[in-house]
Amino acid sequence: MQIEVIFRNLTPSDPLKNYALKRFQKVERMVDDEEAKLLATLSMESGRPRVDIQLTGKDVDFVASEKNDDMYAAIDLVNDRLGQQLRKASERRSQISRETIGDSLGDA
């Protein structure tokens, strides 16, 4: 999975970029698609830090956004939000496959 961090209306800093990359590597373990791409945009909006992330791939397409007074906290919050979306989607897929297996066993 590719992870790209973009700074908008904000001076780029290596510690902030490294922190974001480290936090988003958790998402990498949750996504099976090796060709997936995570685009993180760190910006200042009305004087408040904002983090927008977009995860796209073959079977995934998720978007999350978060504002906070601290950029590091915003990164953590948006990472948690994306993790929740991925877990929920995974649960839905497993529920569908269980129902499909149950239906096919019931027909036999």
Side-chain angles (χ1 to χ4, degrees):
M1 183 169 92
Q2 289 181 303
I3 301 174
E4 185 177 348
V5 178
I6 296 175
F7 292 88
R8 186 168 291 142
N9 299 329
L10 183 68
T11 305
S13 74
D14 285 335
L16 190 57
K17 182 176 182 176
N18 291 335
Y19 183 79
L21 290 172
K22 181 181 172 186
R23 294 296 291 168
F24 295 136
Q25 284 177 348
K26 278 186 172 181
V27 173
E28 189 172 17
R29 290 182 289 209
M30 298 174 76
V31 177
D32 294 334
D33 187 5
E34 292 180 12
E35 296 180 14
K37 183 174 181 179
L38 187 138
L39 176 64
T41 305
L42 311 179
S43 62
M44 292 296 283
E45 185 177 284
S46 302
R48 290 185 72 193
R50 177 185 172 114
V51 180
D52 298 301
I53 56 176
Q54 181 178 12
L55 176 63
T56 56
K58 185 174 69 172
D59 294 329
V60 294
D61 190 22
F62 296 97
V63 176
S65 179
E66 196 65 52
K67 291 182 191 177
N68 199 303
D69 292 330
D70 179 33
M71 183 63 79
Y72 292 93
I75 291 169
D76 290 340
L77 291 170
V78 78
N79 190 46
D80 292 343
R81 183 167 293 197
L82 183 62
Q84 289 172 351
Q85 289 179 12
L86 288 169
R87 279 188 292 280
K88 189 172 182 179
S90 175
E91 289 171 6
R92 268 192 245 125
R93 280 194 301 270
S94 66
Q95 181 67 29
I96 289 170
S97 66
R98 278 192 291 250
E99 289 173 0
T100 305
I101 291 171
D103 289 345
S104 64
L105 292 176
D107 292 339

